[in-house]
Amino acid sequence: MFDPSLIVEGVISGLLIGGVYSLLAIGLTIIFGVLGVINFAHGELMMIAMYVTLVISNSFQVQPYFAFFLVLPLLFLFGVFIQKFLIQPVLDAPPDIQVLITLGLSIALQNIALLIWGPNYQSLQVSRNQSVIHFLGYVVSVPRLLAFIGALTVSGLLLVFLKKSNLGKAIRACADNREGALLIGIRVERVFLVTFGIGAACAGVAGVFIMPFFYTSPHIGLTFILISFVVAILGGLGKIEGALVGGLIIGVVESLGGILADESIKQIITFSLFIIILFFKPSGLFGKKLR
Amino acid sequence: MGSFFQIEEMDVVYRDMQVLWDISLRIEAQEIVSLVGSNGAGKSTIVNAISGLVPLIKGTILLEDEPIDGLKPYQIVEKGVVQVPEGRKLFPTMSVSDTLELAAYKGEAKRRKTQNLERIYNLFPILSARKKQVVGTLSGGEQQMLSIARSLMILPRLLMLDEPSLGLAPLIVEEIFNTIREINEIGTTIFLIEQNVYLSLELSDRGYVLSNGRVILEGPSQELSSNEHVKRAYLGV
Ligand SMILES: Nc1ncnc2c1ncn2[C@@H]1O[C@H](COP(=O)(O)OP(=O)(O)OP(=O)(O)O)[C@@H](O)[C@H]1O
Ligand SMILES: [Mg+2]
């Protein structure tokens, strides 16, 4: 039989990586909730952030976490740019046009990364932080713990921003009723710019925090877009709290899948659970009942 | 010299279907003007054109002799031309007080937010009792009041109400019409779109009758109520 402490460690490790999934999926879900656009380039935004983290850490021989301060504004601006020049012009077009645009962007970004950084997997050169701490007798990896704390802190701050600030309320108003927002004088196009910026920055920050114990490649985005779709849909598309919880669930399921079954089929377990949950709650855990 | 608010010879087309022909109307300061007409006549299209949600293909819209067509919706709101839309268009996940405060998030409205809030909670005591409630859980009548209250937070000079009585019980309708009168008495000009022709002609100073995208009748409300065509077509007499 399995050693039960192995399971507990699996749960802990899954929760920790799950925090990063949560943040990533929050980015995807906020863009969908406000703009109604599915950002198929979301994984590539994370991939770019991972490379930027890699480059900064490797060229200055510093801890990767320093990249946070560059990646956050950089990805925010990149998101604003995408919205302004790629999405805004086709916002009123049928959704398939927007899908084509974000899909096209994802392929373009993959190829740009391929050109600049080559096809190989790369990871950080600075001495890897392999340290662990012992928590109630269980082994916890420090970089994963930092990623979890970082991702949840950023998610929490974002939630507070959306609940309390005027801009945050304007964003929620646009998600709730775009025309209603226009009619009370909200500059909806600007809100959209900020929203895409925030969504992209979420992917970026997730990239920074995962890099210390992960590797990157031009196609790594595919892995993460799949996970963030599963998380966002599980939580109810557009529901930020849903993505937060969904990320933790998927993190744990995936981690346990890897332990109980085999690394190679853990995705099957993740997707099975996904399908089972949606079977009972088709609009996601936090979604409204379907009308 | 023109009127406070004026539409001149406006045409509106959705894709390739024309829905408004040669619309001209005027609203004087402090007036209540009603616009009546049956389903699909083009009433909402007129207010949406005024709010900048729908482009004109011909004609112009003037506020104090200055064209406002072609401005963005938020600029039109900044000029004090505010719509209470058909179907309310509220923010269901937000609280009542957040909704009201968000509407007053800039300019003069922001400076006078506190006193304006107090005035609005006096006007709608039911909203005051439900400040923290999530909008999606309000009753239909409460939602309609919130929709009006939300617009009032912007300190409108011209308040356009698109079918405020839609789907509401007669008592609530009466309450809402009384409130509209009160809003007008403190100096807000009102453009009232209604299918409840009897009530709206009773409340308003003048009226326009819209049919198939054209103004077919206009005049003082009393005259319209005694007009044979209006009686037959809208008052069921
Ligand atoms: N966005 C749109 N695209 C195409 N046609 C539209 C659109 N909005 C309205 N129409 C059409 O324009 C015409 C006028 O509609 P409008 O909503 O202005 O009528 P209304 O007088 O407000 O009707 P009701 O009393 O039912 O609200 C209708 O034939 C409607 O189908
Ligand atoms: Mg209408």
Side-chain angles (χ1 to χ4, degrees):
Chain A
M1 257 321 279
F2 292 107
D3 178 0
S5 74
L6 210 60
I7 308 256
V8 177
E9 270 168 25
V11 170
I12 294 173
S13 139
L15 270 180
L16 297 186
I17 187 95
V20 178
Y21 295 169
S22 298
L23 179 59
L24 180 67
I26 284 174
L28 188 75
T29 222
I30 194 174
I31 291 174
F32 179 80
V34 176
L35 290 144
V37 171
I38 294 178
N39 179 24
F40 282 98
H42 205 63
E44 279 65 41
L45 294 177
M46 181 166 174
M47 176 268 289
I48 299 280
M50 291 168 86
Y51 273 111
V52 171
T53 308
L54 183 93
V55 167
I56 288 180
S57 174
N58 286 356
S59 15
F60 300 105
Q61 291 297 306
V62 291
Q63 281 302 315
Y65 302 103
F66 284 102
F68 174 87
F69 300 100
L70 179 68
V71 165
L72 180 75
L74 194 71
L75 267 286
F76 178 85
L77 289 179
F78 191 36
V80 170
F81 174 89
I82 293 172
Q83 170 61 19
K84 179 145 184 89
F85 296 105
L86 300 179
I87 310 289
Q88 200 90 282
V90 296
L91 206 56
D92 295 324
D96 32 336
I97 305 272
Q98 296 153 13
V99 167
L100 285 179
I101 285 190
T102 59
L103 259 181
L105 179 67
S106 108
I107 295 167
L109 290 175
Q110 285 178 32
N111 283 293
I112 290 171
L114 200 59
L115 263 178
I116 303 180
W117 292 296
N120 296 330
Y121 288 107
Q122 295 189 46
S123 51
L124 299 173
Q125 288 164 2
V126 288
S127 62
R128 259 180 182 255
N129 186 348
Q130 303 276 22
S131 56
V132 294
I133 54 169
H134 295 271
F135 174 72
L136 300 176
Y138 301 109
V139 181
V140 178
S141 134
V142 169
R144 283 178 184 247
L145 184 63
L146 288 177
F148 178 77
I149 294 171
L152 282 206
T153 306
V154 172
S155 308
L157 289 176
L158 179 56
L159 275 175
V160 172
F161 165 77
L162 290 172
K163 281 259 182 310
K164 299 289 175 200
S165 74
N166 268 338
L167 182 54
K169 287 176 192 169
I171 290 175
R172 280 161 54 214
C174 290
D176 269 6
N177 195 315
R178 189 184 297 187
E179 220 166 76
L182 275 174
L183 290 175
I184 60 167
I186 291 176
R187 303 181 66 164
V188 172
E189 292 193 354
R190 280 196 180 179
V191 170
F192 286 176
L193 294 181
V194 174
T195 303
F196 213 111
I198 290 174
C202 287
V205 172
V208 173
F209 283 128
I210 207 167
M211 205 49 210
F213 56 93
F214 224 83
Y215 49 83
T216 187
S217 85
H219 303 295
I220 199 77
L222 293 175
T223 312
F224 289 112
I225 189 82
L226 255 161
I227 292 173
S228 48
F229 273 150
V230 170
V231 171
I233 294 171
L234 186 62
L237 259 179
K239 297 275 178 292
I240 294 185
E241 290 88 346
L244 197 61
V245 176
L248 301 180
I249 294 176
I250 292 301
V252 170
V253 170
E254 195 191 71
S255 167
L256 288 183
I259 293 170
L260 298 177
D262 185 89
E263 269 302 304
S264 59
I265 65 161
K266 70 179 185 184
Q267 285 204 337
I268 296 180
I269 295 178
T270 307
F271 281 108
S272 309
L273 178 87
F274 174 63
I275 290 168
I276 290 169
I277 293 183
L278 286 190
F279 184 78
F280 290 105
K281 205 130 186 340
S283 52
L285 292 175
F286 281 65
K288 283 196 278 285
K289 280 206 203 98
L290 291 181
R291 278 153 295 220
Chain B
M1 255 326 273
S3 305
F4 172 66
F5 176 87
Q6 228 171 326
I7 299 180
E8 287 173 358
E9 296 166 358
M10 171 174 78
D11 283 6
V12 170
V13 175
Y14 286 120
R15 279 178 217 102
D16 49 3
M17 189 179 73
Q18 181 154 3
V19 294
L20 293 179
W21 280 268
D22 204 31
I23 301 293
S24 292
L25 59 82
R26 67 187 168 86
I27 302 172
E28 305 299 339
Q30 325 284 320
E31 256 190 331
I32 301 182
V33 171
S34 59
L35 175 67
V36 301
S38 45
N39 287 114
K43 305 181 295 298
S44 297
T45 304
I46 292 184
V47 276
N48 287 335
I50 297 172
S51 286
L53 301 180
V54 176
L56 326 189
I57 56 154
K58 183 179 142 288
T60 177
I61 301 174
L62 304 167
L63 179 72
E64 295 179 321
D65 297 324
E66 285 198 29
I68 59 165
D69 52 290
L71 295 183
K72 296 235 152 84
Y74 78 87
Q75 294 171 313
I76 294 169
V77 171
E78 277 171 7
K79 298 228 175 256
V81 177
V82 181
Q83 173 186 161
V84 178
E86 183 176 84
R88 294 145 200 169
K89 308 218 155 95
L90 294 169
F91 313 125
T93 66
M94 223 176 266
S95 72
V96 168
S97 60
D98 274 356
T99 301
L100 294 176
E101 291 188 24
L102 184 61
Y105 79 116
K106 64 183 172 191
E108 181 65 13
K110 184 178 171 187
R111 274 187 292 280
R112 285 169 46 192
K113 185 163 88 178
T114 320
Q115 92 194 73
N116 203 14
L117 255 182
E118 200 183 303
R119 182 175 72 96
I120 281 165
Y121 283 139
N122 280 332
L123 201 57
F124 301 102
I126 187 81
L127 295 181
S128 172
R130 295 174 181 275
K131 278 179 203 170
K132 294 288 159 234
Q133 192 166 327
V134 172
V135 171
T137 62
L138 295 176
S139 75
E142 288 159 358
Q143 291 197 9
Q144 188 60 56
M145 291 179 199
L146 180 62
S147 183
I148 297 173
R150 180 179 70 172
S151 307
L152 291 177
M153 286 303 291
I154 313 172
L155 302 171
R157 302 169 67 208
L158 173 62
L159 184 65
M160 310 184 284
L161 299 117
D162 193 353
E163 302 207 30
S165 72
L166 197 67
L168 300 180
L171 265 177
I172 311 273
V173 172
E174 201 171 312
E175 198 176 325
I176 283 181
F177 271 62
N178 283 335
T179 310
I180 296 172
R181 181 178 287 128
E182 282 178 52
I183 295 167
N184 176 250
E185 276 163 5
I186 57 169
T188 311
T189 308
I190 306 276
F191 187 34
L192 177 62
I193 285 75
E194 262 302 334
Q195 284 198 51
N196 191 328
V197 176
Y198 175 75
L199 274 182
S200 64
L201 287 180
E202 196 179 57
L203 179 67
S204 59
D205 304 303
R206 290 187 303 110
Y208 291 83
V209 180
L210 195 67
S211 175
N212 292 320
R214 297 172 201 273
V215 173
I216 55 163
L217 274 172
E218 61 176 283
S221 302
Q222 279 172 331
E223 276 176 31
L224 288 182
S225 334
S226 51
N227 176 287
E228 280 307 315
H229 171 80
V230 174
K231 276 187 176 168
R232 245 182 301 115
Y234 303 103
L235 296 174
V237 190

